[in-house]
Amino acid sequence: MTDGRTTRRGLLRGAVAAGGIAAASGTAAGQQDGTVTYGDWFTGEAEGGAVGNYDGTTVDERGSSSVTIQVGSEGNGGPYAFGPAAVRVDPGTTVTFDWVSDTHNIVVESQPGEAGWAGHEPIENTGFAYEHTFETEGVYLYYCQPHLPLGMKAAIVVGDAELVAPSEGGPTWTWPGGDIGVAFMGLLVGTAGLAVLLMASGEGASAVGRWRAAAAEAASSPLAEADPEEPRTELGHDDFDPFGTAALIVLYFLILVVLWVFVYFVEFLGNGPTVIG
Amino acid sequence: MTFVEEYPDDAKLIRACFAVSFGALGIGGLFGLIQALHRTGVFQGFVSSSDYYTVLTGHGVLLALVFTTFFIAGFFVWAVTRSLEQSIAGRLAWTWFWLMMVGTVLAAVAILAGFVPGLGISADVLFTFYAPMAAHPIFYIGAALIIVGSWIAGANYFLAYRRWRAAHPDERIPLQTFMVLTTFLMWYLSSAGVAVEVVVFLIPWSLGLIQTVDPLLTRTLFWYFGHPVVYFWLLPAYVVWYTILPKLSGGRLLSDPLARVVFVLFLLLSTPTGFHHQYLDPGIAEGFKFVAMTNTMFLLLPSLMTAFTVVASMEHGARQRGGKGYVSWLRSLPWDEPAFVGIALSGLMFAAGGFSGMVNAGLNLNYLIHNTIWVPGHFHLTVGTAFALTAMAVTYWLFPQISGKRLQLKTAALVQPYLWFFGMTLMSNAMHRAGLAGVPRRTAEPMYPDTPGVVFEGVVGGIGEMRLQIAIGGTLLFVSLCLFLAVIGATWLAPRGGTLDVNGVIPEPLSGAEAAPRVLDNLWLWTAIAVVLVALTYGIPLWAWIVDGVLTPGSPPIPV
Amino acid sequence: MEVHRYERLWIAASLLIVVAWIGTVTWGAVGPPGIQMIDDAGGTVDAGAIADSDYGATDTFREPGVYQVSENHYAVYVVARQFEFEPGSAAAIEVPAGSRVTLYVTSPDVIHGFSVVGTNVNAMVIPGQVTQMTVDFEEPATHGIVCNEYCGAGHHTMAGTIEVVPADEFEGGDAA
């Protein structure tokens, strides 16, 4: 029932399963000169966005016979991180993945060609543990499926190959919201700034002074209410016939009926498959 | 004599309530601006998308719980004091004020702590705080204290009424006090649900004293309260529309008896409708949902009646001012008076909000718009304008009387309600249309990248244009809010004294209390009937869930 | 108590509105559209069992996927969790055009929404309850699924896909 055809992630996994190197994504690979790179895996350019708990360092666990990576540690706005996000181990090390919170899995994004690591795709909860012994040297990129959009990604480097930054230039920062966002915020901030300047200026100060004086002047007489308004024509109970209200309410009635018919029979009944059982 | 001179202690209490209320309005409104810009993708630099939900919780709780409850409590102090002609602000009054204050601070701390990573305190559960999502215990404790404080406020009003009744055994209950008492009877009946949810289930559960709660049961208890709470907000607005708006229009209320009938209908029908918020929930048989639908449709009646009575009372004022014709009498109304303008425009907007409410209530029709952004489009017209704009506008009339200060910055005060109306028109119409296209609510991002099939297609207009309208509308609303706060702030700072521009005289209705059947004043009778209706609607489903295990099928807390 | 003639007329008109609205909705249910509300037919389930993927432990739910029940009737079991639909997010749900599909949705963690964008297929998913709904998918189409009930920090990322493929392209679900 797993259909790899229709989503990009599915496409990548299909390619990995076939044993090929994931070339389409342009992420990590063993590079020609023997160095390795994460590519843009941890940045906002790759799917899932920036990884909050990756600070650029790769924890060096070479020499350790067993290494533990926490699955679902705090990070990325909740329990949505691998800890540590990037780690380097010797070939032949057994890595234990320890679930410390619920609803996570391990899906392999890319790995060295002959490695054949399947990850652990069933969703597991706190307390679950999974082990894999990493033999093949190179860079392994992996993520947690339900929390990929939050940035739950990680990497393991096996062996001593030098880790370098991606050869392409860094991502260019674009204003969120595009041109409309720029225009909007410019207008908002500009107007607010202008208002503040006006208020803080000499004009503003003297306006406050004049207001103060006028208020004090008006308050100098004893406190009293205004006189009640005298109606131009007094209408008693029997003099008043609300025919104006009747006219408006007939209009309202018609609007209600038209809108109801439109929403129910056009919008609702025309809106594609409906629950019939 | 002005109110502040005649009842200085009550005036002070009302000012305190308004101060907290408008403070919450200001912060909640700022959050609203951040949301409007973030959600539409125009500017996402203020907060991350995860923190958006902290902002959203703050917006909902500060506006729909704190701004509303404090304003209503203070406004009702004025209404009861004035209509019973006795001071009610004693030790009991300050007790409920401080209890609500403590609750507010606790809840606010729990919510705002969500911005500070590493504290381990957060309450990103939104205004509805559905289990199994769990907030920090102090959020629930704070919310509970606000509700309990409001109960004591009700006791304050009832005790005052009892004192008055002893001295006036045969008189009809003065209209404003009648409205306050029926509103609070409805409030006691309805808030019992959320009180049980929070005190019996959520607080022990968040403290670890019980392991699981039944999410469907707690959600149902919330919505038992969640529908009538909107009438807790609407009925005070109706108090303004029935008793103050006619005077501001230059006329008199058409009919006191009809107003009493409307409030009694709300007492009877507000609570047995809660399942209409759960039309698409599993675990609830269709029969209960159908009954909720019919009850809700009948609940349209008091609002439709209000439309006629209130507009007719305005027409009376317009004609007394010299208005003629079928429609042109509208021009004779005082469109240069800020209080009148705000209240009248909020009534107009409510007529539109009422329609989108009818759609929400339509059982199977609910499939079309449930949890889409149509729903916030609807409630920004109702609580966001009918309540909020009425509250702001009546403050222009009331504040001078309770402070002894002339209203300052009158031009700003006049522009404010027009700007609010215009901004809300833009924002709300776009939300309604986007909801018809399937755009969801309560979500931080406008789009779902990388998922085939998630495409929003507008019927009239494009999605991008709708987003822009929401951003612009939200910004205009924020500017309008700033104008309001500036006016009230300047008035607060002004010196006391002088001749005010307002007077507190409210003329007698055209058809007075003596024309109202005595049975309308029989509050015990109406309360008993209301309780029976609630038992009929909620009795069977709640009993079934209690009997199968009050904590099962259960879920442990999931912190957010 | 006297009520002005116009207001009496308006109250009558209002009652008419109320009855007409109730009538429309009832017609939608018992008339040709035959729209049914989500109800308790799905039964209850232990959310903990779903969280542990222990599908054998319950008889109201089974392993997520598409199953063929009869000639033209398919059952789709979906788990909605923070923050994906299984199936739906990682792999699209695939059903043939012209079929009747009964969806069974539940959640192991918090309350979610299940909304097929641009259609009237819209439901709440509550831990401990199974949401059951039957839909006719007539035309081939790609439908998006969106979670429309706030469910946590990643709520805005929770979406999926239903592929309604032409009948001859459908690869078949698992046996019921």
Side-chain angles (χ1 to χ4, degrees):
Chain A
M1 72 191 165
T2 305
D3 181 350
R5 286 180 301 170
T6 49
T7 64
R8 177 171 169 260
R9 301 173 213 161
L11 182 68
L12 289 171
R13 262 188 297 132
V16 167
I21 299 169
S25 59
T27 51
Q31 305 197 134
Q32 292 300 96
D33 53 2
T35 60
V36 290
T37 177
Y38 298 139
D40 56 8
W41 181 238
F42 285 110
T43 72
E45 293 294 294
E47 191 174 352
V51 179
N53 69 321
Y54 172 69
D55 57 5
T57 59
T58 302
V59 175
D60 193 348
E61 290 278 8
R62 284 175 296 182
S64 311
S65 54
S66 71
V67 174
T68 303
I69 295 179
Q70 291 191 327
V71 179
S73 52
E74 278 299 313
N76 297 309
Y80 308 127
F82 290 100
V87 68
R88 183 192 284 275
V89 300
D90 287 322
T93 310
T94 300
V95 174
T96 305
F97 294 90
D98 226 348
W99 265 246
V100 296
S101 60
D102 291 349
T103 319
H104 305 291
N105 65 359
I106 297 175
V107 181
V108 181
E109 165 82 0
S110 72
Q111 58 183 316
E114 316 79 49
W117 179 37
H120 184 86
E121 296 194 7
I123 306 271
E124 304 293 351
N125 295 325
T126 312
F128 182 77
Y130 158 79
E131 285 179 357
H132 181 77
T133 307
F134 289 87
E135 305 281 2
T136 315
E137 296 195 15
V139 169
Y140 298 71
L141 301 180
Y142 64 100
Y143 61 92
C144 163
Q145 176 74 60
H147 305 126
L148 173 62
L150 295 169
M152 191 163 169
K153 302 185 278 189
I156 297 175
V157 186
V158 178
D160 301 323
E162 187 190 342
L163 196 60
V164 296
S167 36
E168 309 94 72
T172 50
W173 181 81
T174 50
W175 181 275
D179 295 331
I180 293 183
V182 179
F184 198 101
M185 289 311 288
L187 208 64
L188 193 62
V189 173
T191 319
L194 225 75
V196 169
L197 270 171
L198 259 170
M199 289 194 294
S201 70
E203 253 307 302
S206 62
V208 172
R210 277 176 303 195
W211 166 69
R212 269 222 165 99
E217 169 73 35
S220 53
S221 54
L223 182 59
E225 288 190 336
D227 293 321
E229 185 188 317
E230 287 302 322
R232 241 204 271 174
T233 336
E234 199 159 330
L235 292 169
H237 175 268
D238 299 326
D239 307 319
F240 176 55
D241 208 32
F243 60 90
T245 305
L248 289 178
I249 217 95
V250 165
L251 184 63
Y252 184 55
F253 178 84
L254 291 171
I255 295 176
L256 283 179
V257 171
V258 167
L259 283 177
W260 179 264
V261 168
F262 171 69
V263 172
Y264 200 93
F265 294 95
V266 177
E267 277 294 315
F268 175 54
L269 292 182
N271 198 37
T274 308
V275 176
I276 43 113
Chain B
M1 203 166 37
T2 55
F3 186 89
V4 65
E5 291 168 298
E6 194 162 355
Y7 306 104
D9 298 324
D10 306 80
K12 185 161 168 214
L13 176 62
I14 302 168
R15 291 198 304 271
C17 288
F18 280 13
V20 177
S21 172
F22 299 150
L25 176 63
I27 303 174
L30 176 64
F31 283 2
L33 176 66
I34 295 174
Q35 284 166 240
L37 296 176
H38 189 111
R39 169 75 179 80
T40 53
V42 168
F43 183 70
Q44 301 192 329
F46 290 113
V47 289
S48 69
S49 283
S50 308
D51 279 343
Y52 176 87
Y53 301 110
T54 312
V55 172
L56 187 54
T57 306
H59 181 78
V61 172
L62 285 173
L63 293 180
L65 196 54
V66 181
F67 162 56
T68 50
T69 312
F70 274 90
F71 185 86
I72 294 166
F75 177 64
F76 278 4
V77 169
W78 172 82
V80 172
T81 301
R82 191 201 149 268
S83 55
L84 297 184
E85 294 173 316
Q86 65 174 267
S87 169
I88 73 169
R91 256 204 324 255
L92 185 66
W94 289 102
T95 305
W96 59 253
F97 175 81
W98 284 111
L99 201 59
M100 282 168 48
M101 202 51 211
V102 168
T104 301
V105 169
L106 285 177
V109 163
I111 298 169
L112 296 175
F115 287 125
V116 183
L119 265 184
I121 302 179
S122 76
D124 291 356
V125 287
L126 307 192
F127 165 71
T128 45
F129 52 86
Y130 297 134
M133 290 193 305
H136 192 275
I138 61 171
F139 172 79
Y140 300 113
I141 294 171
L145 287 177
I146 298 177
I147 303 282
V148 171
S150 74
W151 290 348
I152 301 178
N156 199 176
Y157 310 137
F158 275 97
L159 288 171
Y161 167 67
R162 224 177 50 163
R163 278 199 303 273
W164 177 88
R165 180 50 88 197
H168 305 86
D170 289 317
E171 276 178 51
R172 305 304 302 269
I173 311 177
L175 183 60
Q176 285 186 327
T177 299
F178 179 88
M179 292 171 159
V180 168
L181 297 181
T182 42
T183 303
F184 260 83
L185 284 170
M186 183 211 70
W187 179 241
Y188 284 127
L189 180 59
S190 60
S191 56
V194 75
V196 167
E197 182 202 357
V198 172
V199 171
V200 174
F201 294 108
L202 298 184
I203 292 178
W205 178 71
S206 63
L207 287 171
L209 299 174
I210 56 174
Q211 301 313 307
T212 63
V213 293
D214 177 355
L216 182 58
L217 177 61
T218 51
R219 184 180 151 83
T220 303
L221 287 171
F222 181 86
W223 284 116
Y224 168 102
F225 151 85
H227 191 73
V229 75
V230 318
Y231 297 112
F232 182 64
W233 304 327
L234 186 64
L235 292 186
Y238 279 12
V239 174
V240 174
W241 298 359
Y242 275 108
T243 65
I244 301 174
L245 182 59
K247 170 250 178 23
L248 293 175
S249 310
R252 297 157 65 181
L253 172 63
L254 185 71
S255 167
D256 169 307
L258 271 173
R260 287 177 204 252
V261 168
V262 162
F263 272 72
V264 166
L265 283 174
F266 276 115
L267 170 56
L268 297 181
L269 291 174
S270 297
T271 311
T273 53
F275 280 130
H276 72 230
H277 292 266
Q278 298 179 270
Y279 280 150
L280 307 188
D281 281 21
I284 304 173
E286 192 163 350
F288 301 122
K289 297 179 178 177
F290 188 87
V291 169
M293 187 266 297
T294 53
N295 287 351
T296 311
M297 291 300 183
F298 280 106
L299 193 49
L300 288 175
L301 278 172
S303 286
L304 291 173
M305 286 165 62
T306 299
F308 191 96
T309 309
V310 168
V311 174
S313 308
M314 282 203 293
E315 186 185 347
H316 181 257
R319 298 209 185 276
Q320 288 205 147
R321 287 163 66 98
K324 303 273 179 251
Y326 276 90
V327 218
S328 38
W329 55 271
L330 286 166
R331 277 211 301 252
S332 308
L333 290 167
W335 296 105
D336 56 352
E337 288 291 327
F340 170 80
V341 171
I343 300 171
L345 288 179
S346 69
L348 175 60
M349 200 144 241
F350 185 66
F355 173 72
S356 59
M358 293 176 196
V359 170
N360 296 342
L363 195 59
N364 41 52
L365 188 48
N366 194 256
Y367 277 120
L368 179 66
I369 44 77
H370 174 71
N371 270 352
T372 65
I373 201 171
W374 164 289
V375 178
H378 161 75
F379 65 66
H380 279 90
L381 294 176
T382 49
V383 67
T385 306
F387 175 82
L389 186 55
T390 295
M392 291 188 272
V394 83
T395 304
Y396 295 144
W397 179 76
L398 196 55
F399 197 71
Q401 299 175 56
I402 61 171
S403 64
K405 304 182 181 183
R406 294 163 51 81
L407 191 72
Q408 305 296 316
L409 303 183
K410 288 213 205 58
T411 317
L414 186 58
V415 168
Q416 186 264 327
Y418 287 111
L419 189 58
W420 188 275
F421 184 80
F422 180 61
M424 190 60 83
T425 302
L426 286 182
M427 190 176 89
S428 183
N429 99 79
M431 283 176 158
H432 280 92
R433 286 183 295 133
L436 286 178
V439 174
R441 65 180 290 210
R442 291 183 149 178
T443 185
E445 295 277 346
M447 293 193 289
Y448 291 85
D450 289 335
T451 312
V454 182
V455 172
F456 304 114
E457 275 163 21
V459 172
V460 181
I463 289 290
E465 162 264 316
M466 290 179 207
R467 274 192 223 128
L468 196 57
Q469 275 199 32
I470 292 173
I472 296 175
T475 307
L476 293 178
L477 287 170
F478 182 72
V479 173
S480 171
L481 174 62
C482 291
L483 286 176
F484 170 73
L485 292 174
V487 169
I488 298 301
T491 306
W492 216 304
L493 292 172
R496 188 170 141 160
T499 305
L500 304 175
D501 295 316
V502 296
N503 75 74
V505 173
I506 295 181
E508 288 298 306
L510 286 170
S511 193
E514 33 341 304
R518 286 239 161 220
V519 71
L520 285 173
D521 282 17
N522 189 344
L523 298 176
W524 287 118
L525 172 66
W526 305 121
T527 309
I529 298 178
V531 169
V532 169
L533 287 175
V534 164
L536 285 174
T537 321
Y538 272 100
I540 302 174
L542 282 179
W543 182 248
W545 295 332
I546 292 171
V547 151
D548 83 1
V550 106
L551 298 178
T552 59
S555 289
I558 297 183
V560 281
Chain C
M1 181 175 124
E2 44 117 350
V3 179
H4 192 283
R5 196 171 76 95
Y6 295 157
E7 182 137 26
R8 263 183 275 142
L9 281 169
W10 172 239
I11 294 175
S14 305
L15 273 165
L16 193 65
I17 288 178
V18 169
V19 169
W21 282 196
I22 295 178
T24 327
V25 169
T26 311
W27 174 83
V30 305
I35 306 166
Q36 300 298 307
M37 299 310 295
I38 315 269
D39 60 13
D40 52 0
T44 61
V45 73
D46 178 16
I50 305 291
D52 295 332
S53 302
D54 189 5
Y55 301 112
T58 171
D59 51 6
T60 48
F61 205 76
R62 59 195 304 185
E63 184 154 355
V66 178
Y67 301 89
Q68 183 154 17
V69 173
S70 67
E71 170 79 37
N72 222 12
H73 188 194
Y74 294 83
V76 181
Y77 287 81
V78 183
V79 171
R81 50 160 56 93
Q82 291 172 313
F83 301 101
E84 61 164 8
F85 293 104
E86 182 194 346
S89 297
I93 299 171
E94 218 180 81
V95 290
S99 65
R100 172 158 291 196
V101 175
T102 300
L103 291 147
Y104 300 86
V105 194
T106 190
S107 162
D109 44 38
V110 298
I111 296 182
H112 294 278
F114 185 97
S115 166
V116 182
V117 177
T119 74
N120 294 327
V121 182
N122 192 354
M124 300 301 293
V125 185
I126 301 181
Q129 311 287 331
V130 176
T131 303
Q132 177 182 327
M133 46 188 159
T134 303
V135 185
D136 286 334
F137 286 106
E138 304 287 351
E139 304 293 324
T142 305
H143 292 295
I145 312 168
V146 155
C147 169
N148 60 4
E149 179 59 64
Y150 169 67
C151 54
H155 167 64
H156 48 275
T157 67
M158 188 164 165
T161 309
I162 295 184
E163 279 280 0
V164 184
V165 295
D168 44 6
E169 281 177 34
F170 181 61
E171 281 179 3
D174 304 338

